[in-house]
Amino acid sequence: MQEKDDKKIEQMVSNMMLDIGVPAHLKGYRYVRTAVLMAEEDMKVVGSVTKLLYPEIAKRYNTTDGKVERAIRNAIEISWERGNKKTFEGLFGYCCENGNARPTNSEYIAVIADTIRIQLNAEKKEKDSTG
């Protein structure tokens, strides 16, 4: 059952990232997805991206913390400029058309992880009440 839930969460994260406009061919796409999945499990990692999140992702992908940070920042910048403005507005409350600066790496990761957690809780409550 847990493996099925993990796959569902991965799919939800992937769908949201593609909707926001993170191109799947970027290294940053994998890093953001991994970061969101880690944050969905434990939000503490978002509060310490340089000490916890980037080193763990770097270890998993056999790269450096700096390359992870840069690739995530690049993926966010691309999605910020080219992504679905309505999705951004819904998630972050603003988008680039308003003249706002792009979200920080930790803000971006935290918002997506929190949105996924809220969706999962809503689905669980609905499932519990119906069945």
Side-chain angles (χ1 to χ4, degrees), residues 5-18 20 32-33 35-41 43 91 108-124:
D5 290 346
D6 290 348
K7 290 283 185 211
K8 180 181 179 177
I9 294 168
E10 264 186 61
Q11 188 65 50
M12 290 172 76
V13 172
S14 295
N15 289 342
M16 187 173 295
M17 288 176 56
L18 291 171
I20 294 173
V32 170
R33 189 175 73 183
V36 169
L37 291 169
M38 289 172 65
E40 194 276 327
E41 278 184 31
M43 283 300 272
L91 286 173
Y108 193 89
I109 292 163
V111 166
I112 294 173
D114 203 40
T115 302
I116 295 292
R117 187 180 298 115
I118 289 167
Q119 287 176 359
L120 289 169
N121 285 340
E123 285 179 16
K124 187 178 181 213

Side-chain angles (χ1 to χ4, degrees), residues 78-113:
I78 289 172
S79 74
W80 184 245
E81 293 167 9
R82 304 182 201 164
N84 185 332
K85 307 301 182 229
K86 285 185 178 179
T87 302
F88 258 103
E89 189 80 42
L91 286 173
F92 297 93
Y94 60 91
C95 65
C96 65
E97 291 175 344
N98 303 351
N100 293 87
R102 70 165 183 80
T104 64
N105 290 9
S106 57
E107 180 183 9
Y108 193 89
I109 292 163
V111 166
I112 294 173

Side-chain angles (χ1 to χ4, degrees), residues 20-35:
I20 294 173
V22 180
H25 69 280
L26 297 178
K27 281 184 183 177
Y29 174 90
R30 289 185 308 211
Y31 300 162
V32 170
R33 189 175 73 183
T34 301

